[in-house]
Amino acid sequence: MKKLTIILIAIIFSSCNSGAQKKNSKEKENFLVSKTDAEWKAELTPQEYNVLRKAGTERAFSSPLNKNYEEGTYHCAGCHTALFKSEHKFDSGTGWPSFDRVIEGNVAFSTDRNLGYVRTEEHCATCGGHLGHVFNDGPKDTTGKRHCINGAALKFVPENE
């Protein structure tokens, strides 16, 4: 009887962890720019769609923006919201464009448990597009943050444009 009680308690507690609770918090938000899946597919390249809408990750060192050192602003490839300034970009050596800070209010954060551990996901606050993740191993002399961003999620706008 004691074993049966323990098993029943374990079942009750595990059933409280429903799929609805596992949904990413960004799925619950309403974004200023909202499109159907078909509209996103028609507007984005296959790689942009995979990264922004399916939370994919581009291959390391594959983005030309990784080694871009021009002055300007990095915008969301989906909705053109300004996300990062070139003055906050640094070479992290990871193979993805990295920044030590965001343009406040334009990047939103949520919890990502897809790999079996907790990470902080970054997405565009305007359209919800997946950008990458933020880590605490950035430059110590500034923010200590490394915003590790997929280049496919970004469009670079030079300063003089």
Side-chain angles (χ1 to χ4, degrees):
M1 185 68 178
K2 192 174 184 180
K3 286 183 183 181
L4 181 60
T5 304
I6 292 172
I7 291 171
L8 287 174
I9 291 172
I11 290 171
I12 290 169
F13 280 116
S14 65
S15 68
C16 290
N17 191 12
S18 72
Q21 291 175 335
K22 291 182 184 178
K23 279 193 171 183
N24 195 323
S25 62
K26 78 175 186 175
E27 292 176 19
K28 298 175 187 171
E29 297 177 25
N30 292 320
F31 295 103
L32 209 55
V33 174
S34 181
K35 299 178 183 182
T36 66
D37 199 48
E39 289 171 321
W40 285 120
K41 279 185 178 179
E43 292 180 22
L44 301 171
T45 68
Q47 187 175 31
E48 289 170 344
Y49 176 80
N50 182 50
V51 169
L52 287 166
R53 308 319 309 169
K54 297 298 180 185
T57 302
E58 69 190 4
R59 207 168 26 94
F61 301 100
S62 66
S63 172
L65 294 179
N66 186 42
K67 295 292 184 179
N68 178 38
Y69 299 109
E70 291 180 58
E71 290 185 17
T73 308
Y74 294 83
H75 293 245
C76 174
C79 69
H80 311 290
T81 297
L83 304 171
F84 304 95
K85 294 180 181 179
S86 61
E87 65 197 67
H88 301 133
K89 187 173 186 284
F90 68 97
D91 186 355
S92 66
T94 61
W96 290 279
S98 297
F99 304 86
D100 70 352
R101 67 197 77 181
V102 302
I103 294 177
E104 289 298 322
N106 293 356
V107 176
F109 303 91
S110 61
T111 302
D112 175 1
R113 293 181 176 88
N114 292 336
L115 295 180
Y117 59 94
V118 176
R119 297 183 297 173
T120 302
E121 179 186 356
E122 298 185 62
H123 48 94
C124 175
T126 303
C127 72
H130 170 77
L131 303 172
H133 295 86
V134 62
F135 302 98
N136 291 319
D137 59 1
K140 301 281 185 247
D141 58 331
T142 61
T143 64
K145 301 289 183 191
R146 174 174 54 96
H147 298 267
C148 187
I149 308 300
N150 288 283
L154 302 173
K155 293 287 184 202
F156 179 72
V157 177
E159 188 174 291
N160 55 4
E161 288 184 23

